[in-house]
Amino acid sequence: MGWPRYLWMKIKLMRLLFVLPFEILVSPLVARSKTKNLKRVVGDTLFRFVTDTLPDVELQYFLGTSVGIYSEWARKEKLPITIDELQGEGKLLWIGPKRTEKVILFCHGGAYIAPLQNFMLPFWRFIQLELERRGLEVGIAIMSYSVIPVAHFPIPLWQANQAIKHLTYVENVKPSNLQLVGDSAGGNLVSQILSSMLHPPFSPPIIPPGTRLRGAYMMSPWISMKGAGSQESNEILPSFIENDHTDVLSTDSLVRWGSDVLSGLQNPFFDVPFVDPIRAPSDWYKGLSDVVERVFVSTGEFECLRDADRVFFKEKIQPWHGKAEFFELKGGVHNDPFFDFYVGDRPLGARQKLTPMILDWVANGFEDDKVEENRREI
């Protein structure tokens, strides 16, 4: 990025000196802020301002790279830096000690243009340490994939498939001890992985037929590129209008990034059900329970994607899986649990009910069937 553009980016960011005090001043009066503490008001405002203000090239320059962010964070936390190189330029970045008996594969969000962000790392480290307190030693691997404009669909999906192959073949992780988690575009990537297990786009399939993963969790999954609710209708869903001023991401940003994703499709007729699953055929996820044991989808009351996530779960996931769960966080925004760790090192306030649910859901997935049965009886 040249100096003129760099200086213009800096000038645009200086507007924050006026935006942030104003948001703090009105926070007790407006729906988007009145249930948040001051730290969250500041953090959410910063994130919304940056994503609204900077175009893709500037945003990528401002945010950095996944490997750089991960390495800097690990050094700061005095944790090992462990990076597995995958076929096709994907990488696995391990949080804490590399453990392969029980593994969480985390697909980070970022609209397929942005890298892993540093507030995602302490969240999953928190989950890892809480699992240890329950006697569960779990390895957490971050899926670092190529982003736009370097790579379009199906490259991130191909890399994620290679990651699962690496974990199961090279690291000898049993599929029954592997849980997928992803936020936003990472939630979209998790849905793509499940789609690829049901409708293999690669020949031969990278993930062997008959593989059944332990679980899949999608936090605020970005499963509507246009804001529409079905294959037949282009009418925008109500939450994209109602929550445009309450969420940490604007409708304009989501639709702009969605256009970036859709414009890169080589075969839209075949590719759309993978990248825009809300527009997939109604039976697209038929057989879902055969490829993953448990599914959990969460969203927030005040996020733009709320209605899309509701439709996705009710019409695409729930009919094909008896162990599918859905939760909507009251007052929650996009990726709400992460933003507590944007401004702190743990869940903030009583309103944050989703983080303990995620922890319990992950823990239950790693406990044996007998323990799970005993819990249900109690």
Side-chain angles (χ1 to χ4, degrees), residues 184-336:
S184 193
N188 180 285
L189 188 53
V190 168
S191 76
Q192 286 189 31
I193 294 169
L194 299 177
S195 293
S196 73
M197 296 172 74
L198 295 168
H199 312 277
F202 310 115
S203 183
I206 299 171
I207 302 174
T211 299
R212 191 174 191 238
L213 303 173
R214 184 65 167 173
Y217 167 52
M218 291 164 270
M219 178 195 294
S220 298
W222 186 35
I223 41 69
S224 177
M225 299 292 119
K226 294 183 175 182
S230 70
Q231 189 176 24
E232 297 78 20
S233 172
N234 286 320
E235 185 176 345
I236 197 164
L237 289 164
S239 62
F240 283 88
I241 300 170
E242 295 169 8
N243 294 337
D244 188 32
H245 297 291
T246 60
D247 200 2
V248 293
L249 291 177
S250 68
T251 295
D252 284 348
S253 293
L254 288 167
V255 173
R256 183 180 80 248
W257 295 328
S259 178
D260 291 343
V261 172
L262 294 174
S263 66
L265 300 183
Q266 297 179 350
N267 184 350
F269 178 80
F270 178 80
D271 297 344
V272 162
F274 286 90
V275 302
D276 203 7
I278 201 167
R279 294 197 286 152
S282 59
D283 61 350
W284 181 253
Y285 289 99
K286 183 178 182 180
L288 183 61
S289 58
D290 295 330
V291 300
V292 63
E293 185 177 332
R294 311 155 65 245
V295 178
F296 180 28
V297 177
S298 67
T299 193
E301 178 189 12
F302 288 161
E303 71 169 294
C304 293
L305 283 165
R306 181 198 66 201
D307 292 349
D309 290 342
R310 288 175 178 174
V311 171
F312 172 66
F313 179 80
K314 183 178 179 180
E315 297 183 5
K316 311 297 182 182
I317 300 297
Q318 192 174 30
W320 306 110
H321 207 297
K323 287 188 176 181
E325 303 174 48
F326 181 83
F327 178 74
E328 183 175 307
L329 180 64
K330 184 174 177 58
V333 295
H334 188 68
N335 285 351
D336 198 286

Side-chain angles (χ1 to χ4, degrees), residues 127-169:
I127 295 293
Q128 187 176 51
L129 293 174
E130 290 298 309
L131 290 171
E132 286 181 13
R133 291 187 179 93
R134 300 186 183 195
L136 293 168
E137 294 193 342
V138 175
I140 301 181
I142 302 162
M143 177 68 236
S144 176
Y145 52 88
S146 302
V147 297
I148 297 169
V150 174
H152 289 269
F153 178 86
I155 292 176
L157 175 59
W158 190 84
Q159 293 171 335
N161 272 240
Q162 291 291 343
I164 293 173
K165 181 180 178 180
H166 174 85
L167 288 171
T168 54
Y169 278 80

Side-chain angles (χ1 to χ4, degrees), residues 1-2 4-13 50 52-64 113:
M1 188 166 66
R5 186 161 193 172
Y6 176 78
L7 290 174
W8 178 235
M9 180 182 77
K10 289 290 188 179
I11 292 169
K12 288 187 291 184
L13 291 176
V50 170
D52 273 356
T53 301
L54 301 184
D56 296 357
V57 173
E58 294 175 12
L59 194 60
Q60 289 176 329
Y61 180 89
F62 181 80
L63 294 175
I113 63 160

